[in-house]
Amino acid sequence: MQLSSVSLPSLLLLVLLLTTATPSNAHNITRLLTKHPDFSTFNHYLTATHLAAEINSRTTITVLAVDNAVMSDLLSKHPSIYTIKNILSLHILLDYFGTKKLHQITNGTALAATMFQATGTAPGSSGFVNITDMKGGKVALGPQDNGGTLDVFFVKSLEEVPYNISVIQVSKVLPSAVAEAPTPGPSQINLTGIMSAHGCKVFADTLLANPEASKTYQDNMDGGLTVFCPLDDPFKLFMPRFKNLTAAGKVSFLEFFGVPVYESMPMLKANNGLMNTLATDGANKYDFTVQNDGDQVTLKTKSTTARITGTLKDEQPLAIYTIDKVLLPKELFKDAPAPTPAPAPAVDKAADTPKASKDASSSPSDSPADAPGADSAADQTADGNNGMRVDGGRSVAMVMSVLLGLLMCLL
């Protein structure tokens, strides 16, 4: 085999590149701002409001930073931490605007969406920022709902990773009556009311009827809470099995749908893996696996796969999502049996074949005889594939094998 045109050093270099090349998160806003002490207060509140994690989870972002003097003026008004989060969210643009781009805006003006707009809490155009390249080299900015007033100016660039993240200083806080409005704390929010009004009334009513589980949710709202509420149709089908649980089993089951930390959608997409719940207690893990494929996020237990179908609220420290199935914790339910053939017209009910369930961590009455009616054979097959996708790894392995074969021929 003639390989004279391919040098050994070249092949070795290619092998090295393939074995060391790994995808990376391109930025860490906290680390970037640490290099600029004059912005330490702004940096602190990005962390305190959990916005830093949101920024780091995105691949294209611009942060409009203000220095300590400007932040001191903002804090002198004594806004709540939730109001501060809204204000700072308006300073996070969901696009890249480096120095060069700011001075080369098409037609001189651009309208940028912000993280405040992405939360869904900003009505109308209040979550958008107007950026205009002014005469004399100045760049002015202002909220779209500010009556056309542009009185905030670009000062200088702090950090830039082209087309990834830009951190730029602006002269003052972007004025927005909507963002600056007093924001109620989580404990004042009607959690079950939100769920009831958006397709999760059966789950919300069941939670309200259980004082112990309801109190657990309430106690966790201030510190951070994420709720995955099953929609009404699947939960109605599940209610007969829920009623068969013991009192302790009912509490654990309801708490299983709450996570004691705030998880925004970008955070869920970026942090796949096991997630503990409000029901987690020592040996009773009561956890599930978060997994995504593109924009679709799924929650998986040993016997159930549920999809997140909607966002009811996503504002730190509270997030509420709807899911299309009732997740079944393995502590209370074993795997549902595979469907067995049945004569027509009852073939559609085959997936609901009963199976007794027992678990060392629960009493017999905690394990209803009925298998989960919301699950299908397809779901059970999917649950067997909990590993990470490694298609790219296989491709690299194949290339490596070929290259190593070539090396063997040269040696």
Side-chain angles (χ1 to χ4, degrees):
M1 184 175 181
Q2 297 296 321
L3 295 173
S4 57
S5 61
V6 182
S7 68
L8 180 60
S10 296
L11 284 171
L12 289 174
L13 178 60
L14 184 54
V15 171
L16 180 62
L17 288 173
L18 285 170
T19 56
T20 58
T22 57
S24 61
N25 289 328
H27 54 258
N28 182 310
I29 185 61
T30 304
R31 189 177 300 130
L32 290 174
L33 283 173
T34 298
K35 295 185 282 184
H36 304 274
D38 288 344
F39 296 83
S40 60
T41 305
F42 181 82
N43 196 12
H44 166 75
Y45 278 98
L46 286 183
T47 299
T49 58
H50 297 270
L51 286 171
E54 295 273 8
I55 293 168
N56 294 340
S57 70
R58 294 180 179 265
T59 55
T60 305
I61 206 88
T62 299
V63 179
L64 308 178
V66 293
D67 63 22
N68 293 344
V70 175
M71 283 298 296
S72 180
D73 182 58
L74 170 63
L75 296 174
S76 68
K77 301 172 185 176
H78 306 291
S80 70
I81 189 67
Y82 313 110
T83 297
I84 292 174
K85 189 204 177 208
N86 285 344
I87 294 171
L88 298 188
S89 294
L90 192 62
H91 289 69
I92 302 169
L93 311 183
L94 305 182
D95 198 354
Y96 178 82
F97 288 93
T99 305
K100 183 178 180 180
K101 185 175 178 179
L102 286 172
H103 291 289
Q104 295 180 351
I105 296 174
T106 304
N107 298 323
T109 298
L111 193 62
T114 68
M115 198 166 283
F116 185 43
Q117 184 271 334
T119 64
T121 59
S125 60
S126 59
F128 292 86
V129 170
N130 185 311
I131 307 171
T132 300
D133 188 12
M134 311 287 282
K135 292 181 180 179
K138 283 189 175 182
V139 177
L141 306 93
Q144 180 67 5
D145 65 340
N146 196 34
T149 301
L150 301 175
D151 58 355
V152 178
F153 296 96
F154 165 68
V155 178
K156 64 183 178 182
S157 174
L158 300 178
E159 298 285 339
E160 290 185 22
V161 179
Y163 308 106
N164 190 318
I165 185 171
S166 173
V167 185
I168 60 178
Q169 180 184 3
V170 292
S171 59
K172 66 177 186 178
V173 169
L174 292 167
S176 171
V178 175
E180 295 170 7
T183 305
S187 58
Q188 298 172 270
I189 294 173
N190 187 342
L191 175 65
T192 53
I194 294 173
M195 291 191 287
S196 293
H198 295 88
C200 294
K201 188 176 188 307
V202 181
F203 178 79
D205 289 347
T206 306
L207 182 60
L208 276 174
N210 193 301
E212 185 175 346
S214 185
K215 184 177 185 301
T216 302
Y217 276 80
Q218 197 68 31
D219 290 347
N220 280 272
M221 284 179 66
D222 284 331
L225 178 66
T226 302
V227 183
F228 301 96
C229 59
L231 291 166
D232 284 340
D233 286 346
F235 206 79
K236 285 177 184 176
L237 293 174
F238 177 77
M239 281 304 292
R241 291 186 288 277
F242 174 78
K243 291 176 181 178
N244 285 338
L245 294 171
T246 63
K250 290 176 180 176
V251 172
S252 295
F253 179 78
L254 291 172
E255 292 177 351
F256 179 66
F257 292 88
V259 173
V261 293
Y262 166 71
E263 293 281 349
S264 68
M265 185 57 72
M267 293 165 74
L268 288 172
K269 290 179 179 179
N271 300 309
N272 285 195
L274 285 176
M275 186 168 289
N276 289 336
T277 67
L278 296 174
T280 300
D281 181 18
N284 294 324
K285 295 181 179 179
Y286 282 101
D287 55 24
F288 54 78
T289 300
V290 177
Q291 196 167 37
N292 70 70
D293 184 6
D295 288 335
Q296 183 63 66
V297 179
T298 60
L299 312 179
K300 297 185 177 184
T301 64
K302 195 171 184 181
S303 64
T304 326
T305 298
R307 294 183 303 110
I308 294 180
T309 57
T311 301
L312 305 187
K313 187 174 183 64
D314 184 359
E315 186 175 356
Q316 193 275 334
L318 177 64
I320 308 173
Y321 305 102
T322 56
I323 54 177
D324 65 347
K325 293 184 181 179
V326 178
L327 279 178
L328 301 178
K330 61 182 179 294
E331 284 78 7
L332 297 178
F333 304 92
K334 287 187 177 180
D335 292 344
T340 55
V347 65
D348 290 339
K349 297 181 180 180
D352 292 332
T353 305
K355 177 179 178 180
S357 175
K358 295 181 181 180
D359 191 283
S361 62
S362 61
S363 65
S365 56
D366 282 342
S367 303
D370 292 337
D375 294 334
S376 66
D379 292 330
Q380 295 165 32
T381 302
D383 288 343
N385 300 319
N386 288 335
M388 294 178 63
R389 296 175 66 90
V390 292
D391 296 338
R394 292 193 188 97
S395 298
V396 172
M398 291 174 65
V399 174
M400 288 286 294
S401 298
V402 172
L403 290 174
L404 289 174
L406 292 174
L407 283 173
M408 293 295 294
C409 293
L410 287 171
L411 296 177

